[in-house]
Each structure stands twice: as C-alpha cells, then as structure tokens.
C-alpha cells in the first residue's frame, strides 16, 4: 500500500481463499495473514507514521474497502479510548519492541476496567483467567495472616503486570489484589492471551526471566541494567514427558526458569516439589558448579525452560559475588549526603577507587 492516507478492510465475498500476506519491511518475514473481514493499515494511519510492513495479495482476486484519513479521524475521535490504550501500551518499556500492528491488535483485545478505592481487583481463590496491566492508580497485594488480619506484600503502579503467573500456570489466585484509590486497568482474557502469545513471546520471555532473577535470593540485588544484559544469554530448552532434566548427584553449571509445563522435583529424602511457569531451580549453579540433591522430571506432555550457563553470566558481568558487592557499595555511595552532588558516572569512578 503506497498511499499513506488509506485504511483498508477485506470485503467478504465468494472467494473463500481471499488472503493478504503482510511481510516485514525487508519483505522476507511474514508477520501476519489477513482474511475476509479483517483490518490492516490502521496503526500507521492512526499515528501518521510510515508503514512497518509490506502487504501482498495472496489470492488471484481480491476486493478491498478503503477509508480515507478524514473519515478515519472522525471515528478515532468518537472512540478515543482505544487510541489512548495504544499510546499507553507504547510507554511500557517491556512492550517497546512490539510492532505497531501487534500493539494495535493487543489493544483491541484488551478490556478497560475502572475500580474505586477498596475494590477487589483480583480475589484469592479465583481462577487465573486474565492478565492485567495497570493504566493508572495503584493496586496492593494482600495476604491473610493466621490471626485473620491481612498484610500488604506488594504494591503495583502504572505499567505493571498483575495475574500473569496464575494465568500461565492455571493455578488459583493466591492473594487479594485491592485498588488503592481510583484505578484503571487493561485486562487481557486467557483466550485472547493464547492468540497473542506467539506475537508477544519475546517480551514474555524477558518478563519471566526478569521476574525469576528478582525472585532468586542470590540474584535479587542485580540492577535492572544488569538483568537487561543477562536476558539475551538465556537459551530456550524443550523437554518431553518423562525426561530427567537433572538427577541427584549431577554437577550443574546452569540455572533454570520454567516457561511452560510441569516439572517435578524429588529430593534424596523423598520430598516432592512442583515447578511451574516462573519457578526456578538449580539456583546455586550461578555461584559455582553445583551438585544436585534433587531429581527433576518432566510431568507434562512438554516443558520449556529458559537456561543460563554460569560461564555466560560471568562473561557479561563477572562473578556474582563481586557484582553484588559492587552493587552494595554503589547503594551506600548514593545514600551518602556528602556525595549527593556527584553524577552517576562520577559515583562509578569513585566506586572503582574504593574497590582498589
């Protein structure tokens, strides 16, 4: 499509095989396929930007409806909620690599919900059937204590995700999530998440690895910049039902974060644990070669893990103990009132002098 002011919609007709193939700007990678009744070209028109892909007719005969910019603008003004949602999704760092088309499709599938102060956004014991992104306001996570009271264990704000773990594992919600003030969220239901999953695989991988490293006691103090350096070092390994990922006595130099499936761990004493999406194991391997005292076996039809070799970690950041020690020193330097006037680079230089 060469005219930047056109938006097209495939017309339903007797040609059941009518299809359009959308390729990347290089023309080599197919990113989408459109059939009767589907829309394309709306995102570039919406933001007055260049087309991010080439569109080719796949069938011999094709009929399209087009909409000019003026008519489209009127529709946008009338239904501005969707536009605001796309602009908001663009602001989320985790989603910055998504194409305009993917962002638009994600936005179209999300439901806008508004909650008042004190509303239960997610209830403990409920089914994990949706993923939530906070657009405005704050949501607090509360867990019940034995005496019947509740304690706040987490607080989420604009651009943060809620409910993705139970959505991906199928387990029930384990805590109440309550609106702290007025809150607006975007909700993606499970069936829509499964449709979008192939398109957002890379960002979900980044999110799961980031969450896993923050959950691990040994790596929780890594900075966001350091985690960004490490994420590409993770490899994706697939296992089939019955595969033993690791056995008692095996020496390992790899850390595992489960992406999907179920892996069962049985210790030398017979204790059984279950590893699902976002869970990790063999954490001590990131410090040094670790001899396992647990056998991990795949119980689902298939399981996928993100795997990090200690050698790859150390090649990028150095030994973990030194990285954590350096981070701790930087934190102390930043808290010093006498050093408050120094820039980040000056603090890093000072940090190096201290370490010498």
């Amino acid at each position: 499509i060469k005219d930047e002011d056109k938006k097209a919609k495939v017309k339903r007709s007797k040609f059941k095989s009518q299809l359009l193939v959308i390729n990347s700007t290089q023309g080599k990678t197919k990113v989408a396929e459109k059939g009767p009744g589907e829309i394309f070209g709306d995102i570039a028109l919406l933001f007055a930007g260049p087309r991010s892909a080439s569109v080719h007719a796949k069938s011999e005969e094709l009929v399209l409806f087009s909409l000019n910019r003026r008519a489209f603008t009127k529709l946008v003004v009338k239904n501005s909620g969707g536009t605001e949602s796309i602009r908001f999704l663009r602001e989320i760092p985790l989603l910055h690599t998504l194409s305009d088309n993917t962002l638009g499709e994600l936005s179209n599938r999300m439901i806008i919900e508004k909650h008042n102060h004190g509303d239960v956004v997610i209830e403990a014991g409920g089914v994990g059937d949706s993923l939530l992104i906070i657009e405005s306001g704050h949501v607090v996570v509360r867990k019940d204590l034995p005496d019947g009271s509740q304690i706040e264990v987490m607080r989420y704000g604009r651009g943060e995700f809620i409910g993705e773990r139970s959505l991906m594992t199928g387990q029930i919600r384990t805590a109440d999530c309550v609106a702290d003030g007025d809150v607006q969220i975007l909700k993606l239901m499970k069936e829509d998440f499964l449709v979008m999953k192939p398109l957002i695989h890379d960002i979900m991988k980044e999110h799961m690895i980031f969450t896993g490293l923050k959950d691990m006691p040994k790596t929780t103090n890594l900075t966001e910049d350091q985690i960004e350096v490490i994420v590409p070092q993770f490899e994706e390994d697939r296992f089939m039902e019955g595969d033993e990922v690791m056995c008692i006595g095996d020496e390992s130099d790899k850390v595992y974060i489960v992406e999907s499936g179920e892996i069962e761990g049985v210790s030398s004493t017979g204790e059984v644990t279950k590893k699902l999406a976002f869970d990790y194991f063999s954490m001590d391997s990131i410090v040094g070669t670790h001899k396992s005292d647990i056998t991990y076996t795949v119980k689902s039809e298939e399981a996928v893990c993100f795997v990090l070799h200690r050698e790859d970690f150390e090649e990028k950041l150095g030994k973990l103990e030194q990285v954590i020690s350096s981070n701790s020193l930087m934190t102390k330097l930043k808290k010093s009132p006498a050093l408050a006037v120094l820039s980040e680079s000056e603090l890093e230089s000072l940090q190096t002098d201290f370490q010498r």
Side-chain angles (χ1 to χ4, degrees), residues 123-134:
E123 186 173 7
V127 178
D129 61 354
S130 60
L131 176 153
L132 312 179
I133 304 178
I134 301 174

Side-chain angles (χ1 to χ4, degrees), residues 7 19 28 47 52 158 251 276 282 305 334:
K7 173 187 176 185
L19 287 173
K28 296 180 180 179
F47 293 102
S52 60
R158 181 177 171 84
E251 291 189 345
L276 301 171
S282 189
C305 292
K334 287 181 176 180

Side-chain angles (χ1 to χ4, degrees), residues 122 124 134 138-144 150-156 161-163 173-180:
I122 290 178
I134 301 174
H138 291 87
V139 173
V140 296
V141 181
R142 295 175 181 166
K143 284 193 173 183
D144 294 329
Q150 287 190 323
I151 183 173
E152 182 178 316
V153 295
M154 194 71 68
R155 184 180 182 86
Y156 294 97
F161 292 63
I162 307 176
R173 310 286 196 185
T174 58
D176 288 333
C177 295
V178 181
D180 185 13

Side-chain angles (χ1 to χ4, degrees), residues 304-353:
V304 180
C305 292
F306 301 126
V307 184
L308 175 67
H309 292 257
R310 186 183 70 255
E311 180 181 342
D312 293 331
F313 178 93
E314 293 180 350
E315 181 181 340
K316 291 295 181 179
L317 296 180
K319 291 188 176 298
L320 180 62
E321 298 96 326
Q322 296 173 352
V323 174
I324 299 303
S325 175
S326 177
N327 289 351
S328 176
L329 176 56
M330 176 60 81
T331 300
K332 292 175 181 177
L333 292 177
K334 287 181 176 180
K335 288 182 178 180
S336 172
L339 304 177
V341 296
L342 297 183
S343 65
E344 187 80 15
S345 59
E346 289 171 328
L347 284 173
E348 289 175 355
S349 177
L350 185 61
Q351 177 190 33
T352 302
D353 292 337

Side-chain angles (χ1 to χ4, degrees), residues 170-218:
Q171 293 188 312
I172 62 172
R173 310 286 196 185
T174 58
D176 288 333
C177 295
V178 181
D180 185 13
D182 293 338
V183 173
Q184 180 162 307
I185 62 172
L186 298 182
K187 176 186 286 188
L188 184 68
M189 301 304 294
K190 186 172 185 176
E191 55 269 26
D192 291 309
F193 173 79
L194 293 176
V195 172
M196 292 297 300
K197 192 175 180 182
L199 298 176
I200 60 175
H201 174 268
D202 289 343
I203 67 167
M204 288 307 299
K205 172 183 177 179
E206 182 180 341
H207 178 58
M208 294 180 80
I209 293 174
F210 182 93
T211 303
L213 291 174
K214 279 299 184 182
D215 284 349
M216 292 184 205
K218 292 187 181 299

Side-chain angles (χ1 to χ4, degrees), residues 11 14 21 23 30 39 42 53 72 74 112 141 182 211-212 240 251 255 257 260 274 277 294 313 319 333 348:
K11 178 184 178 183
K14 62 181 180 180
V21 176
N23 294 326
K30 184 172 79 171
I39 294 174
D42 49 330
F72 179 67
K74 289 182 179 179
I112 298 175
V141 181
D182 293 338
T211 303
M240 305 307 295
E251 291 189 345
V255 177
I257 297 176
S260 62
K274 184 188 294 185
I294 299 177
F313 178 93
K319 291 188 176 298
L333 292 177
E348 289 175 355

Side-chain angles (χ1 to χ4, degrees), residues 8 33 55 57 74 78 105 119 132 145 153 217 248-249 279 342:
E33 190 171 275
V55 183
K74 289 182 179 179
K78 186 177 180 180
E105 186 168 352
D119 286 354
L132 312 179
L145 295 177
V153 295
I248 293 175
D279 290 334
L342 297 183

